[in-house]
Amino acid sequence: MTDEIQLRTCTPQDIPNVLALWERAAATHGYPDTAAAVAVRLQRDPQLFVLAVVAAPSANAPAPSTNATSEAIVGSLMGAWDGWRGYMYRMAIVPELRRNGLATRLVHEVERRLAAIGATRIHAHVVTDSPGAPDFWAALGYAPQTTIADYAKTLG
């Protein structure tokens, strides 16, 4: 099935299905995003928000979310560019398609897109208590930054 999966850029019409994917894939760690927040994200660097999609699901395929063009979103990775560094957030793959190379395809595609706009260093925001996440990112050459801590503040 994974060879039937295509990678494409996220669009505003995909937002409800992306949020459903994140929920299903348990990629909403503590602070869930809203449709409005994702829409704002898509206004900047939309080409860096990559989805994995498969044609309308058959009886044998997973159907986490389907859009009007009869395809199911089965994975996502959101890239970002601040003009100096690249970032990756919100890796999500439907549970039944994990451990088959789809996440690696998404990472390589976002890396390619970031490099094309000038990124020479990429940071991946990894939820370290997500099963397998630290090992996955390490296998792709990403290392924890021991001298830099990620501090966060929720506004509003």
Side-chain angles (χ1 to χ4, degrees), residues 4-30:
E4 301 169 7
I5 297 171
Q6 300 299 311
L7 302 183
R8 69 166 175 78
T9 301
C10 184
T11 68
Q13 295 76 24
D14 294 315
I15 293 172
N17 294 326
V18 167
L19 292 171
L21 167 68
W22 290 350
E23 185 70 30
R24 181 160 185 240
T28 56
H29 304 282

Side-chain angles (χ1 to χ4, degrees), residues 41-125:
R41 178 66 204 116
L42 278 175
Q43 291 175 14
R44 181 183 165 110
D45 313 321
Q47 76 280 12
L48 298 176
F49 194 156
V50 180
L51 301 179
V53 298
V54 66
S58 66
N60 299 332
S65 56
T66 304
N67 68 20
T69 61
S70 299
E71 63 184 17
I73 297 171
V74 296
S76 73
L77 181 59
M78 184 169 32
W81 168 244
D82 67 7
W84 186 46
R85 298 284 191 243
Y87 300 89
M88 290 188 283
Y89 310 85
R90 293 296 186 138
M91 169 66 76
I93 306 292
V94 294
E96 56 273 17
L97 290 180
R98 291 179 182 158
R99 305 197 60 79
N100 66 19
L102 183 55
T104 300
R105 282 181 60 198
L106 282 164
V107 169
H108 288 161
E109 180 63 16
V110 173
E111 286 175 339
R112 184 188 68 73
R113 292 178 184 204
L114 282 164
I117 59 175
T120 58
R121 184 168 178 84
I122 301 171
H123 296 262
H125 287 252

